[in-house]
Amino acid sequence: IRLFDAFLYDNANDRPEEAQIGLAGCKFLDLLCALETDAFQIYQWIFIRDTVETLIKAPLNDGPTPIMEMLGEKLTEGSSTSSLSSSPLSLSSSVPPLGELKRPMLTMHSISSIRQLGFFIEHVGLYVYQSSFTLAKPDMPFIESLLHNDLLEGDIDSD
């Protein structure tokens, strides 16, 4: 929560090192959504809205606004383009078909601007909402491989 608050309220600059921190936070949120742990689902509403309202993208006045929606609004305000989703990068954005395995959306290792997370920020709630109906289970081998690659990136060449 503090990490996303820094981008929302502390006027974090859009420097590459801060973008990397934003990517790490979004990847962690993405992982928690993909794993669907009971411990996280209690607090998921703080970060995303995974209800039918995500389909209509209408502003709601009832209840708190999830962090990803506030971050999306802030990025849209500071952007010269009308949509943040123009450059999805390495996103596996399709919803898994019925019975298939669910994977995190974010697979890239680095970004240079927080705006490159725009597609994820705008669509993570919709992805979680839609994938909940497919009965997809987390793709643990893929997730473990993704985590392994993220943890070892840069350490291989340091021998």
Side-chain angles (χ1 to χ4, degrees):
I1 291 173
R2 282 188 239 151
L3 179 127
F4 294 120
D5 279 350
F7 286 99
L8 287 171
Y9 304 114
D10 294 343
N11 293 322
N13 295 320
D14 193 11
R15 296 187 306 235
E17 58 273 9
E18 290 175 350
Q20 287 303 113
I21 294 169
L23 174 62
C26 287
K27 285 181 93 166
F28 185 62
L29 175 63
D30 192 19
L31 177 64
L32 290 171
C33 290
L35 292 175
E36 296 180 325
T37 62
D38 292 338
F40 176 69
Q41 286 187 330
I42 295 169
Y43 303 104
Q44 184 171 295
W45 63 271
I46 296 169
F47 299 96
I48 64 167
R49 186 184 321 267
D50 64 343
T51 60
V52 72
E53 286 83 9
T54 60
L55 293 173
I56 56 176
K57 294 213 179 222
L60 299 173
N61 294 330
D62 57 330
T65 303
I67 291 173
M68 288 294 107
E69 287 183 22
M70 291 188 294
L71 189 55
E73 290 170 7
K74 181 171 181 171
L75 290 178
T76 302
E77 287 172 5
S79 177
S80 59
T81 60
S82 61
S83 175
L84 296 172
S85 58
S86 60
S87 177
L89 288 177
S90 300
L91 294 172
S92 55
S93 60
S94 62
V95 176
L98 188 62
E100 287 198 15
L101 298 175
K102 183 168 44 171
R103 296 178 169 184
M105 292 174 67
L106 296 172
T107 58
M108 72 277 277
H109 294 286
S110 65
I111 58 173
S112 58
S113 169
I114 194 73
R115 297 196 189 293
Q116 291 175 284
L117 295 171
F119 184 87
F120 172 78
I121 291 168
E122 284 185 358
H123 295 93
V124 63
L126 180 61
Y127 178 77
V128 171
Y129 174 74
Q130 289 179 331
S131 65
S132 68
F133 293 107
T134 66
L135 305 176
K137 299 293 182 207
D139 185 348
M140 293 310 292
F142 178 82
I143 291 171
E144 288 172 1
S145 171
L146 192 62
L147 288 172
H148 181 74
N149 288 338
D150 280 348
L151 292 174
L152 292 181
E153 181 184 302
D155 291 343
I156 296 171
D157 294 330
S158 64
D159 292 340

